[in-house]
Amino acid sequence: MTLESQLEDDLIAQLTQDVHQWKFRYDLRTVDQLWDNFFRILESNNKDQLNDHPLTPNEKMTVRTAIVKPTFYRATEFMVGANRQVRYHLRREDSSIPDADLLILDNTNIAGGNSVYEVVHQVQLQKKTALNRDRRFDVSLLINGLPVIHIELKAPNVPYRKAFNQIQKYIDEGQFTDIYSFVEMFVVTNGTQTRYISAGQNLNAKFLTAWVDKNNKRVDNYLSFAEEVLSIPAAHHMIADYVVLDSENKSVILLRPYQIHAIQAIFKASRESKSGYIWHTTGSGKTLTSYKVARNLLQIPSIDKSIFLIDRKDLDMQTTTAFKIYANNDTISVNETNSSYDLADQLTDGDRTVVVTTRQKMQNMFKRIDELDQLPKRYENLKNMRLAFIVDECHRTITPSQKREIDKFFNRKPLWYGFTGTPIFNENARAKNGQDARTTEELYGPVLHKYTIGDAIRDKMVLGFSIDNQGGSNEDGNEEDTKKMDKIYRSKAHMHSVATAVIKAAYRKQGLISGKKYSAILTTSSIEKAQKYYRIFKKIIDGEDEEFKIPERIKKVAPDFPKIAITYSVSENEDDSESVQDEMKQSLADYNAVYGTNFSMAELDQYNQNVNARLARKKAQYQADNQRLDLVIVVNRLLTGFDSPSLSTLYIDRPPMSPQDMIQAFSRTNRIFDKDKTWGQIVTYQYPKTFSEKIDDAIVLYSNGGEKYAVAPSWEESKQSYVSARSKIDMYSFDADGPSIYDASKEEKKKFVKAFQEFDKALAAIKTYDELDTEEGLMQLGVSDITPDDWEAMRGVYEDILDDLRKDPDEDPDHNDDIDDEYELESFGQKEIDERYIMNLIQAFLPESSDNQEKASGNEISPETVKEINGYIDELAKTNELLAEIMRKLWQQILQDPAKYAGKQVDELLESLIDQELQSIMREFADKYKVDYDQFRYVMANYDPKLKGNKQKGMNDLLHKERFVDYLNDNPDSDLNKPYRWKSEVREQAKQYYVDKIGPLINREA
């Protein structure tokens, strides 16, 4: 059997096997030793700045206090530095000595210069609160003395998720603070499976990333991962070049492997003056990749500007906003262009910047310059510039003739790098037009890197699609008679049946069945039809539809469902009639009434942006339930380029689109979000047979051999899987009178756990199908239905048996039998509102920093949001009253004086209050029974309510006879006047204190 310690030794050996790799510092075992080592390196690298005057203890404390930050984001923000160098300006304690501009990290000297690479292990950390424990970290990688990458390992017979959960536990305990706040990357492994994730206060296991090589082959073995990712210079590049800060969400982003490979491929091509394109599936983070490409190209001296070119105004604003969020802490400026004049000014200003602009502005600038009789000097300089164009959605952004026009304008041919998830191939090539390029490769050059939808779904970077081709309720099946079918699809009867079908389908497809409220898009073929749909939905919402009422099961979960809006590009509406304009005014009035906005027809652009932001739910202000948007009706807007992880469903009432447009539209739905969102849901209401064929063709074309991952199983397949899994679980009795699994052998318990997990997956999958919406429910499959009480009983047995197996793990990984003891049940409803959800809502309204007056005010908290958070805390109180009361106290303190908490972390504030409450509770007990406080704290920290009182760790030491004497002296008239009575009472009350007061505060999952 391979032990965890052996994995650790082998990893360190791999990391240190070459002279120019990491140096093992086995002597660094405490935080104080790490700081001493940091200052030793700092002084060594800054001898010229220190002028032979070493740092004094006070100066070291000044530096330490200044550079340590309260969160991973703030620490990484500091580590960005300026011009790829991280410095701290120190005013010397002795005023006669010049100030020192101390170089902390030099990213211009990777794998050379003054960069020091060290690896440490088993660093000891002291507990932060009364009931926590001292901890030891597995392996940490230090650059110039600061831990920037941390690795937690488990033995091969233990799931790597345990290492992930352990890191989150340490974060919650406040261990990744002080010098460990500089960690930017976590790695978890059990030797055979390895994942990495960016540092954050609240980690999401869905974003654990496996490394893949340039050919998208997985690298799971931890030593192979260490060789490819953690060696020098790769690890330093990861920290220096492939970390991005999201200034809006205050999060650290680590690029995924395929993004890194694409950036490296473009960088290599640009040095060779070659162009090409990147085929990365929609939803894989192309905007972030292209930002890094645009930014990194400016490191090449021969390139004067990098231009991110897009083809729509709304995407211009969206992309510029995203780029500015990423560039907020970067050394490169991102400039948007307000007009073709502004574009010309920016291109000729001499600054090395990333420019975001539209194709239309570029063409207008060329036209205006060509009309000049004599070129000004700056336009002559412009024509001589060497530019690199990064083209978003390059399969459609620019035509061959438009690209020729741009190339012709410049004396030096620009470099072109396209990004698309749906390239144009020979199978869907443009129509012939002389010598014009017909495919993406002909237009831009060879594909430099590809990561297809098949790759992304396999790697769990995006979801697959669950497709339901329903057609219409009034069609006869003859799809070749398009005139007749189109007439049916334009009819009021068809549209009403679609609207009612959408609302019914939302119960499952938009997650209402599990308490979620995912958003959705309904796309149709014209603005006129979109407006008709809006009127139909509005009539249903207002209760004025005589034929259809919103089902009670939906109203029970979401009384105000669906909250709707309609949106389209201004250019789509230029020739519309006055009546349609009037309808849009009414739609705006409805929207303003629901959300408290004040948009007019003159502000359609701003309205559309607001709809985008509200539907995306990325900003904190739109995450509150009273601000949500359930369904947006569109024609073409939002079907490309729009990113919303909380959007689950696309309803389509229009004829089939081209392969590239179809995959683009589908891909609005398949972003990773939470554990309950398992597929991107697609429902079509026209031409079901044709849609089915066209969808199959599109998925084959763009999966590049990975189509088996792309589509959810059919109803028949899922039905068979459920019946099979159910038959295995029906072999076990959950009745108290039946044979008990509790008394079964260990091997039988393993079989039960494995069967139950398979059953849970099958049940969760089948619950997403509308075919279950009959009175028979599961009974239509030939099996009995299961009542809510039955569910709870089954889950209770499963969790008990799994807990028993956790306490008695197999030493030999070959006998692990595929038992995943970190498996999260999918089919059982989980509480929607938990501690972490509430903390995230509150955090969004805390001021960022007290140093900046603008940021110190924080986000305005509306009365509706205050009411909503209060309601969530009340909901939490139903399951954990103690925790809810402490949270309510903190929330009220923040409301009274938000500025007081500027720059603070809500989770840390809450932990501090919880620790104070725990200490108060334990001191109360210790004083009441005259037991030793520290000993009682030890008993509570290790308490197992399943064990008898005399079996609890530390209980015998707690009940020392001297403590009884102290109690009797203080309580001479007590009935507990015999040692056995006192001991029995202390044991019993210790259990009650743990169950009622202490357990609810320490045994909580956020």
Side-chain angles (χ1 to χ4, degrees):
M1 173 189 174
T2 304
L3 298 173
E4 183 179 317
S5 58
Q6 184 62 53
L7 289 181
E8 193 172 299
D9 291 342
D10 291 347
L11 175 62
I12 293 172
Q14 169 72 39
L15 293 169
T16 59
Q17 68 178 353
D18 189 78
V19 176
H20 301 295
Q21 292 299 317
W22 303 90
K23 179 181 179 181
F24 182 32
R25 293 297 305 275
Y26 56 86
D27 55 315
L28 301 179
R29 292 298 182 93
T30 68
V31 170
D32 285 342
Q33 290 172 346
L34 290 178
W35 276 115
D36 290 342
N37 180 60
F38 166 76
F39 283 114
R40 178 188 62 79
I41 296 170
L42 187 68
E43 289 182 327
S44 176
N45 286 345
N46 290 276
K47 290 178 180 178
D48 58 329
Q49 289 290 321
L50 294 174
N51 295 299
D52 296 324
H53 292 280
L55 295 171
T56 68
N58 284 341
E59 288 173 336
K60 289 180 180 179
M61 185 53 66
T62 297
V63 173
R64 179 173 174 173
T65 303
I67 69 174
V68 167
K69 306 298 178 183
T71 65
F72 295 115
Y73 175 83
R74 293 280 299 281
T76 306
E77 187 179 41
F78 168 76
M79 293 288 276
V80 170
N83 299 317
R84 295 177 63 79
Q85 292 186 328
V86 183
R87 293 181 176 273
Y88 177 73
H89 189 84
L90 176 68
R91 189 177 297 277
R92 300 305 300 266
E93 190 174 3
D94 182 347
S95 60
S96 67
I97 304 173
D99 292 357
D101 190 26
L102 301 175
L103 177 63
I104 295 174
L105 184 65
D106 187 1
N107 292 325
T108 67
N109 271 312
I110 294 178
N114 52 19
S115 295
V116 178
Y117 304 103
E118 298 166 313
V119 55
V120 298
H121 80 142
Q122 298 301 312
V123 172
Q124 301 164 18
L125 294 103
Q126 301 298 311
K127 61 186 177 186
K128 305 292 184 183
T129 58
L131 286 182
N132 286 338
R133 303 176 182 177
D134 294 340
R135 299 297 186 185
R136 287 191 302 173
F137 284 176
D138 285 352
V139 178
S140 302
L141 305 183
L142 321 179
I143 301 181
N144 286 6
L146 296 177
V148 291
I149 299 174
H150 180 72
I151 308 157
E152 283 291 327
L153 303 98
K154 293 296 176 186
N157 63 325
V158 179
Y160 70 84
R161 280 285 297 272
K162 274 189 172 293
F164 170 82
N165 292 339
Q166 188 169 310
I167 287 174
Q168 183 62 65
K169 183 177 181 65
Y170 291 167
I171 293 171
D172 293 341
E173 291 178 358
Q175 294 293 7
F176 280 98
T177 53
D178 201 73
I179 199 167
Y180 271 96
S181 67
F182 293 99
V183 170
E184 299 180 26
M185 174 180 178
F186 289 118
V187 178
V188 295
T189 183
N190 63 358
T192 57
Q193 289 186 298
T194 307
R195 302 289 185 272
Y196 72 93
I197 192 170
S198 56
Q201 309 309 126
N202 301 316
L203 303 178
N204 185 340
K206 282 188 171 286
F207 296 109
L208 285 168
T209 302
W211 188 259
V212 296
D213 64 17
K214 293 178 181 178
N215 298 314
N216 297 320
K217 183 180 178 182
R218 284 270 284 271
V219 179
D220 276 328
N221 179 272
Y222 76 122
L223 296 181
S224 300
F225 178 92
E227 184 178 3
E228 288 212 20
V229 184
L230 301 180
S231 60
I232 303 301
H236 195 154
H237 278 299
M238 180 69 84
I239 298 304
D241 298 322
Y242 304 127
V243 168
V244 177
L245 288 171
D246 183 338
S247 62
E248 183 172 83
N249 294 308
K250 299 294 179 288
S251 61
V252 181
I253 301 172
L254 268 174
L255 296 193
R256 290 166 171 168
Y258 57 86
Q259 294 175 305
I260 294 171
H261 296 321
I263 292 167
Q264 292 172 343
I266 288 181
F267 204 66
K268 180 177 182 293
S270 63
R271 289 198 300 266
E272 298 170 357
S273 295
K274 295 178 180 177
S275 298
Y277 76 97
I278 299 295
W279 174 12
H280 279 189
T281 189
T282 303
S284 61
K286 291 195 302 299
T287 300
L288 179 55
T289 312
S290 57
Y291 163 73
K292 270 297 186 180
V293 167
R295 184 240 183 276
N296 287 356
L297 284 174
L298 293 178
Q299 296 177 22
I300 301 175
S302 62
I303 295 178
D304 298 310
K305 293 268 188 183
S306 60
I307 302 175
F308 194 84
L309 198 63
I310 46 192
D311 74 337
R312 288 213 314 267
K313 185 177 181 181
D314 57 324
L315 284 181
D316 187 7
M317 293 179 288
Q318 178 179 306
T319 304
T320 301
T321 300
F323 273 30
K324 286 190 171 182
I325 287 170
Y326 301 145
N328 191 51
N329 299 291
D330 209 338
T331 56
I332 296 295
S333 297
V334 173
N335 293 332
E336 59 186 315
T337 55
N338 298 316
S339 66
S340 61
Y341 292 92
D342 188 25
L343 173 60
D345 291 341
Q346 289 189 30
L347 289 178
T348 57
D349 62 11
D351 295 333
R352 296 180 62 74
T353 55
V354 176
V355 176
V356 180
T357 193
T358 62
R359 165 180 52 78
Q360 292 87 344
K361 290 173 188 172
M362 181 73 68
Q363 289 176 299
N364 288 338
M365 181 188 72
F366 291 160
K367 182 179 179 182
R368 185 163 46 79
I369 292 175
D370 287 341
E371 290 173 352
L372 295 174
D373 294 329
Q374 186 172 357
L375 282 183
K377 180 69 174 175
R378 67 175 186 144
Y379 288 157
E380 289 182 8
N381 292 338
L382 173 60
K383 292 178 74 70
N384 289 320
M385 290 179 70
R386 183 67 187 277
L387 303 180
F389 285 96
I390 299 93
V391 186
D392 188 36
E393 305 297 354
C394 69
H395 64 280
R396 61 169 174 75
T397 294
I398 190 167
T399 66
S401 61
Q402 290 163 349
K403 182 173 177 292
R404 275 201 311 274
E405 181 185 353
I406 295 175
D407 285 339
K408 184 179 178 181
F409 177 83
F410 293 100
N411 295 329
R412 305 171 68 191
K413 187 176 181 181
L415 294 173
W416 291 89
Y417 300 108
F419 279 82
T420 181
T422 51
I424 304 299
F425 298 116
N426 289 327
E427 292 88 339
N428 58 328
R430 295 184 182 90
K432 288 184 178 180
N433 183 30
Q435 295 183 345
D436 277 359
R438 300 182 62 208
T439 67
T440 303
E441 182 167 349
E442 290 175 3
L443 188 58
Y444 290 92
V447 58
L448 300 174
H449 189 263
K450 65 182 176 182
Y451 190 74
T452 70
I453 193 169
D455 296 322
I457 294 172
R458 178 202 63 212
D459 294 341
K460 299 181 180 179
M461 296 300 172
V462 297
L463 304 173
F465 302 112
S466 177
I467 299 168
D468 186 2
N469 295 310
Q470 292 190 6
S473 60
N474 302 308
E475 58 187 75
D476 60 9
N478 182 15
E479 296 184 11
E480 293 181 4
D481 189 350
T482 56
K483 281 189 176 181
K484 178 181 177 182
M485 298 306 295
D486 285 346
K487 184 177 180 181
I488 291 174
Y489 293 142
R490 287 194 302 269
S491 70
K492 183 177 179 180
H494 170 78
M495 294 180 66
H496 186 270
S497 70
V498 168
T500 60
V502 165
I503 292 175
K504 290 177 184 177
Y507 183 67
R508 296 183 185 278
K509 298 191 183 302
Q510 292 181 236
L512 298 175
I513 188 175
S514 57
K516 307 290 183 180
K517 295 166 188 170
Y518 303 131
S519 54
I521 291 173
L522 167 63
T523 177
T524 189
S525 52
S526 69
I527 291 175
E528 182 182 6
K529 195 171 180 182
Q531 292 282 11
K532 287 181 181 179
Y533 264 122
Y534 182 86
R535 292 200 303 273
I536 294 172
F537 276 105
K538 191 70 172 58
K539 198 172 180 181
I540 292 172
I541 292 167
D542 293 341
E544 298 172 358
D545 190 295
E546 296 179 359
E547 300 176 41
F548 178 77
K549 304 297 179 186
I550 297 173
E552 284 299 319
R553 65 178 183 176
I554 289 180
K555 294 170 77 172
K556 195 173 181 180
V557 179
D560 55 354
F561 186 90
K563 298 170 83 169
I564 67 170
I566 184 170
T567 180
Y568 48 79
S569 299
V570 176
S571 60
E572 291 179 311
N573 196 38
E574 288 174 350
D575 300 322
D576 279 341
S577 66
E578 184 177 340
S579 62
V580 175
Q581 293 282 345
D582 289 341
E583 287 190 30
M584 189 61 201
K585 289 177 186 177
Q586 183 58 52
S587 301
L588 287 174
D590 295 339
Y591 190 87
N592 290 336
V594 172
Y595 297 112
T597 51
N598 192 31
F599 297 111
S600 67
M601 289 297 291
E603 299 163 312
L604 272 179
D605 280 353
Q606 293 92 322
Y607 162 76
N608 286 335
Q609 291 176 52
N610 190 265
V611 168
N612 286 14
R614 196 177 299 278
L615 187 64
R617 300 185 193 174
K618 291 183 177 181
K619 295 182 179 179
Q621 66 204 81
Y622 302 126
Q623 291 169 6
D625 193 54
N626 65 333
Q627 295 296 314
R628 80 173 196 279
L629 183 54
D630 298 313
L631 178 70
V632 177
I633 304 167
V634 308
V635 181
N636 292 318
R637 282 202 77 246
L638 305 182
L639 298 186
T640 61
F642 178 69
D643 178 39
S644 172
S646 61
L647 192 149
S648 70
T649 310
L650 176 67
Y651 303 106
I652 304 175
D653 185 36
R654 62 192 296 170
M657 303 92 103
S658 66
Q660 60 270 27
D661 289 342
M662 189 179 294
I663 295 299
Q664 286 285 336
F666 284 16
S667 297
R668 300 314 104 207
T669 68
N670 71 336
R671 306 297 200 270
I672 301 290
F673 186 55
D674 60 18
K675 76 178 188 65
D676 291 310
K677 182 184 173 186
T678 53
W679 300 97
Q681 300 285 344
I682 310 297
V683 189
T684 69
Y685 296 103
Q686 293 188 20
Y687 298 100
K689 293 179 183 178
T690 307
F691 247 117
S692 180
E693 294 169 0
K694 297 287 187 183
I695 289 171
D696 289 345
D697 291 344
I699 287 175
V700 168
L701 183 63
Y702 288 115
S703 292
N704 197 39
E707 54 269 15
K708 65 179 180 179
Y709 301 107
V711 180
S714 67
W715 162 248
E716 290 297 325
E717 291 169 326
S718 286
K719 187 168 66 172
Q720 291 174 13
S721 296
Y722 174 77
V723 171
S724 174
R726 175 70 182 270
S727 66
K728 293 177 184 176
I729 207 67
D730 281 346
M731 295 168 55
Y732 299 95
S733 172
F734 298 94
D735 193 319
D737 298 328
S740 175
I741 187 66
Y742 290 100
D743 300 327
S745 67
K746 184 176 179 181
E747 289 304 312
E748 189 60 35
K749 287 180 178 178
K750 286 183 185 178
K751 289 180 182 178
F752 165 74
V753 168
K754 185 176 180 181
F756 195 89
Q757 290 176 354
E758 290 177 356
F759 165 70
D760 176 67
K761 291 175 184 175
L763 177 60
I766 205 167
K767 276 185 174 182
T768 65
Y769 291 86
D770 294 334
E771 282 83 352
L772 280 186
D773 284 337
T774 64
E775 290 185 8
E776 295 84 4
L778 291 171
M779 290 188 289
Q780 66 179 287
L781 308 183
V783 296
S784 61
D785 214 336
I786 303 174
T787 68
D789 289 343
D790 291 336
W791 289 130
E792 290 304 317
M794 294 169 72
R795 178 168 65 174
V797 172
Y798 164 77
E799 290 177 346
D800 285 345
I801 298 302
L802 186 59
D803 193 48
D804 289 343
L805 292 175
R806 285 192 182 111
K807 293 176 180 177
D808 184 23
D810 282 322
E811 294 187 356
D812 187 348
D814 293 335
H815 295 291
N816 205 32
D817 289 337
D818 299 324
I819 298 300
D820 181 2
D821 65 355
E822 296 297 312
Y823 177 81
E824 294 183 17
L825 293 175
E826 297 177 12
S827 63
F828 293 91
Q830 304 292 315
K831 63 179 180 181
E832 174 73 11
I833 306 304
D834 60 16
E835 169 192 339
R836 184 160 290 157
Y837 180 83
I838 300 171
M839 287 194 297
N840 287 342
L841 283 178
I842 296 174
Q843 185 71 56
F845 297 101
L846 278 191
E848 289 181 24
S849 170
S850 56
D851 302 331
N852 186 312
Q853 190 60 40
E854 286 185 19
K855 295 181 179 180
S857 59
N859 293 318
E860 184 178 348
I861 309 177
S862 68
E864 292 83 4
T865 300
V866 172
K867 182 179 178 181
E868 186 170 344
I869 292 177
N870 286 339
Y872 288 155
I873 295 175
D874 291 341
E875 189 70 22
L876 179 64
K878 295 177 182 178
T879 56
N880 196 330
E881 187 174 352
L882 276 174
L883 178 62
E885 283 306 311
I886 296 173
M887 192 173 288
R888 185 176 284 111
K889 176 182 176 182
L890 174 60
W891 176 224
Q892 293 304 316
Q893 291 173 350
I894 290 172
L895 285 175
Q896 290 171 13
D897 188 6
K900 179 180 177 182
Y901 299 95
K904 305 288 187 181
Q905 284 297 115
V906 172
D907 55 353
E908 293 178 6
L909 294 170
L910 182 66
E911 287 298 331
S912 177
L913 288 177
I914 289 173
D915 189 51
Q916 292 173 27
E917 181 67 17
L918 286 170
Q919 291 190 51
S920 175
I921 292 170
M922 290 186 292
R923 289 196 184 280
E924 174 189 61
F925 185 96
D927 289 343
K928 183 175 181 179
Y929 294 103
K930 299 306 172 187
V931 295
D932 182 76
Y933 167 75
D934 289 329
Q935 190 61 46
F936 180 62
R937 188 177 66 181
Y938 177 81
V939 171
M940 290 295 98
N942 295 278
Y943 201 86
D944 184 349
K946 292 182 180 179
L947 299 177
K948 292 182 179 180
N950 60 354
K951 298 295 184 182
Q952 300 295 339
K953 287 184 180 180
M955 184 63 78
N956 290 335
D957 292 333
L958 181 72
L959 301 176
H960 196 279
K961 62 182 180 181
E962 291 181 4
R963 304 284 79 80
F964 170 69
V965 172
D966 291 342
Y967 175 81
L968 208 57
N969 288 338
D970 209 51
N971 301 274
D973 300 326
S974 172
D975 292 339
L976 306 178
N977 53 11
K978 299 293 184 183
Y980 75 90
R981 292 178 181 171
W982 174 78
K983 288 182 179 180
S984 178
E985 179 71 7
V986 171
R987 291 192 193 102
E988 182 60 31
Q989 289 303 312
K991 180 177 181 179
Q992 287 306 119
Y993 262 68
Y994 181 84
V995 172
D996 297 339
K997 299 182 177 183
I998 293 175
L1001 296 181
I1002 63 175
N1003 298 325
R1004 61 192 207 279
E1005 292 295 331

